[in-house]
Amino acid sequence: MPHLTLEYTDNLAPHLAPDILPRLNRALLASSLFAESDLKSRALLLDQWCVGVEAAPRAFAHVRVALLSGRPPGAKRALAEAVLAALADACAPPPGAELQLSVEIVDIDAASYAKEVRNGR
Amino acid sequence: MPHLTLEYTDNLAPHLAPDILPRLNRALLASSLFAESDLKSRALLLDQWCVGVEAAPRAFAHVRVALLSGRPPGAKRALAEAVLAALADACAPPPGAELQLSVEIVDIDAASYAKEVRNGR
Amino acid sequence: MPHLTLEYTDNLAPHLAPDILPRLNRALLASSLFAESDLKSRALLLDQWCVGVEAAPRAFAHVRVALLSGRPPGAKRALAEAVLAALADACAPPPGAELQLSVEIVDIDAASYAKEVRNGR
């Protein structure tokens, strides 16, 4: 917790900062809501995708941040805005294309969340 | 919004319509709940999967539609049925296998959803 | 229903039991909450990931179990613990690294869930 997932369309790949995940993690850390080592992020390159039903040039990047339930709505809204700013900063729209960037915040049910940390020798 | 995610087992790949994502987007559009350019869909081919614990020939395709919270239950139910119909229409069970098709509707917290659209030159 | 998704960082791949999905399915089945053929699991190898903002050796595996809404909190908590135990049993931390294992339980809106089973000839 938190778990961040970035999905991006493959036409966006050349326009994405190579260090986008560290950047997004820094945006999460700056919120002061989380411990450093708890930030767990992954990116999924989408090679099968479709926006709308028209043949217009488009792209999208979507971030989902899942955090333990109980945060106030204002903190979640501010977090989404901060992550969106970091995302926008780390990618450019492909030439001639419309790029949609979005961030959603999801509550993880804290009562049933189970976690364990192990250290390899 | 909406975000559609199709996951399908790799043994289903040869039995899937190549234009399945546009078909699913058309089903979403037909609901009149969304603007055309807002429909963002992706498909994930699953190469590591397992159904049950028995060695029976099986396959599955699952669709998750995430939309902003606030839609009435009846609209969500109708949307799931329409997407399931489009899904069933776009894939066939592998010979001898049991194919499970499913559609879930997920609410995105509207209060914390952040979005930005940028146009590439 | 249920849908289980395992995500794991690629540095964990050599340390994961090859039959991890069957093992996780057996843990789900042992809960007596589900029918055998309903257990649908997939694993996603993460090749783009980042933990925290420091350069420490780390890894993570995260399981998400989505089940139809209506289960009591105690049953969900017990399920998460059982799945975490199976997960911990099926992977070892990479030498010198900190491995985070986590399990979340997600409710699927039962009122809008749509499903169909088809048999291939």
Side-chain angles (χ1 to χ4, degrees), chain A residues 7 52-53 77 88 99-100, chain B residues 25 36-37 39-40 113 118:
Chain A
E7 299 175 293
V53 300
R77 176 80 205 159
L99 169 62
Q100 298 186 48
Chain B
N25 276 6
E36 186 269 340
S37 66
L39 309 170
K40 288 176 284 292
Y113 192 69
R118 299 168 67 192

Side-chain angles (χ1 to χ4, degrees), chain B residues 2-5 28 34 63-67 79 83 103-106:
Chain B
H3 287 280
L4 182 151
T5 304
L28 293 176
F34 315 113
V63 172
R64 185 178 175 276
V65 181
L67 37 72
L79 185 66
V83 171
V103 178
E104 67 171 307
I105 310 290
V106 182

Side-chain angles (χ1 to χ4, degrees), chain B residues 51 57-61 84 87-88 91-94 96-103, chain C residues 1 35 37-40 113-120:
Chain B
V51 178
R58 288 157 168 176
F60 70 86
L84 181 63
L87 177 65
C91 66
E98 183 188 80
L99 169 61
Q100 297 186 49
L101 304 174
S102 50
V103 178
Chain C
M1 210 284 300
S37 66
D38 282 346
L39 309 170
K40 289 176 283 292
Y113 191 69
K115 188 177 168 184
E116 184 180 322
V117 178
R118 299 169 66 191
N119 288 288

Side-chain angles (χ1 to χ4, degrees), chain A residues 16-96:
Chain A
L16 220 61
D19 63 342
I20 188 164
L21 288 182
R23 287 186 192 206
L24 294 173
N25 276 7
R26 283 195 290 271
L28 293 176
L29 190 63
S31 73
S32 301
L33 294 171
F34 314 113
E36 185 269 343
S37 66
D38 281 346
L39 309 170
K40 288 176 284 292
S41 297
R42 65 285 260 161
L44 303 179
L45 168 72
L46 304 175
D47 57 1
Q48 300 181 70
W49 56 274
C50 181
V51 178
V53 300
E54 296 171 11
R58 289 158 168 175
F60 70 86
H62 179 64
V63 172
R64 185 178 175 276
V65 181
L67 37 73
L68 290 184
S69 45
R71 303 291 184 184
K76 294 199 274 187
R77 176 80 205 159
L79 185 65
E81 298 284 6
V83 171
L84 181 62
L87 177 65
D89 212 51
C91 66

Side-chain angles (χ1 to χ4, degrees), chain B residues 30-94:
Chain B
S31 72
S32 302
L33 294 171
F34 315 113
E36 186 269 340
S37 66
D38 281 346
L39 309 170
K40 288 176 284 292
S41 297
R42 67 285 260 160
L44 303 179
L45 169 71
L46 305 175
D47 57 0
Q48 298 182 71
W49 57 275
C50 180
V51 178
V53 299
E54 296 171 10
R58 288 157 168 176
F60 70 86
H62 179 65
V63 172
R64 185 178 175 276
V65 181
L67 37 72
L68 289 184
S69 45
R71 304 292 185 183
K76 294 199 275 187
R77 176 80 205 161
L79 185 66
E81 298 283 6
V83 171
L84 181 63
L87 177 65
D89 211 50
C91 66

